[in-house]
Amino acid sequence: MCQAMLVSFLVCVGAATDSGNQLGGGTTMLVPIPVEMKAGSGGFTITSGTVVVASGPAVAEARKLVDGLAPAMGCRLQLADGGEPRDGAIVLRIDESLRQLGDEGYQLDVAVNRVLITGPKPAGLFYGIQSLLQMLPPAVFRQAPVVGASWVVPCVSITDYPRFGWRGLMLDTSRHFMPKTFVLKLIDVLALHKFNSLQLHLTDDQGWRIEIKKYPKLTEVGAWRDETVVGHAGKKPWKFDGRPHGGFYTQDDLREIVGYAADRHINVVPEIEMPGHARAAIAAYPELGCHPDQPLKPWTVWGVCPDIYIPTDKTIGFVQDVLTEVLALFPSKIIHIGGDEATKEQWKASPVVQARIKELGLKDEDQMQSWFIKQMDTFLAQKGRRLIGWDEILEGGLAPGAVVMSWRGERGGIAAAKEGHDVVMAPTGWTYFDYYQGPPEKEPLAIGGNLPLKKVYEYEPIPKEMKPEEAKHILGAQCQLWAEYLPTTRQVEYMAFPRAAAMSEVLWSPAERKDYTAFLVRLAQDLKRLDILDWNYRKLDKE
Ligand code: ACM
């Protein structure tokens, strides 16, 4: 008997299941919680004889469902052309009359004899599939046939769409290089929680992580540092581990990451830091810095580094050359240019920079930074893209179409929205997942701060004082995984979840649907999935 037939046979004879699924229990397994959900009675059993029906643009999504079910079911469900509900089938259908649900909304209707997933766009069908998978036993995420499982989806009627259009997470790949396979694993887990944006922090003082064909030394030199400070960099004297760290993504790697993410309706936003956080680039090409006669190496400690690009035409040309290659790799409409923590001491001390400020008719170094950022804004706008930067880009004036990522609290976001800029909220107090999530003496070394799960869950991205017309500029929010103190991917996993699960509900679910106690019940199911996905999440506190 083939595996598929065996599974089907076991389902038919009602074999005992080791999967823990209870009829009707599946709707308590959804994270983030949907907008509306009406539970029915009974359930639809997926067997090897179940047909997946779709046509046109729904077919690509239907294939993802078949792919998702195949390893654990031990068979590939048959795909058929069509769109009308029918017995024994899971039907996926694009329905433009559901336009009011938005591009990512969907309806999922499970009856004992069939399943229907509809939405106005493919992304909605994809999210309907994620909800369907979440309502199955967590064992559905196993990568080999689960003998004895019964793949029952409880009858339910769901109408669902996201609260925010930017549901993001940022991964710092500079401070510690994160292997491509891990980035793909992260994308899978983000998609399961209905995130739609992954920002890759690709360049910083400690490492340059993106292959740029025109400037090979960026990765030959800039991707490697000699050693790394041990323990917290705030504690001196510094000690070092005495071994090199590094790595980078080839352009083919990045194309693969971008394509893999796009398949899961996740946009990858590249971040290329400027004018500060540039030491790794300056190490590769000293003429880009303010002291070309004093060669540097990529930084080996953490903190705010004084090294900054010199704002000459040559540097502007270099950065725009880099961005040209970045744009060819990343179709993202929005491109992140950093802009944070650019200390101006070297500019103040440099006769070249002071002459440049005068020549351009600028008042001071803040205006110099603003001029630098505006060059990038104009460049990106000419290529049909939009610039996003950390909230320092507001200082000294900001180009009209630019988007602000508010990290130093909500202040920058509020000011930007008042000026008519779109905003992504990323305030340290709620979204910095490099902060401790429990008492520091019981946690692995982190940068500092205190951000427990409940605080993330209670985050409200629209500040109370915002007027409705300003609130429209809040595109959403993003969690930050800065990696100074995340030397391994296991540690990244630990810091990311379960806090990212809480953030998924902040960003997707209506504010009035939020309930921390109920979330914890659903989270317990979510963690079973993460166990199977081999995700090293932080265990919940016993309360
Ligand atoms: C930042 O944390 N420097 C954006």
Side-chain angles (χ1 to χ4, degrees), residues 277 340-341 390 392 407 432 482:
H277 288 283
D340 59 315
E341 298 178 320
W390 301 106
E392 287 94 330
W407 73 282
Y432 268 43
W482 295 110

Side-chain angles (χ1 to χ4, degrees), residues 31 71-72 131 166 187 191 412 416 434 486:
V31 178
S131 293
W166 187 299
I187 288 168
D434 54 338
L486 309 184

Side-chain angles (χ1 to χ4, degrees), residues 12 23 62 101 136 140 211 393 407 425 458 474:
C12 289
L23 272 186
L101 298 181
L136 285 164
V140 75
E211 178 190 29
I393 65 171
W407 73 282
M425 283 295 188
E458 287 168 353
I474 305 296

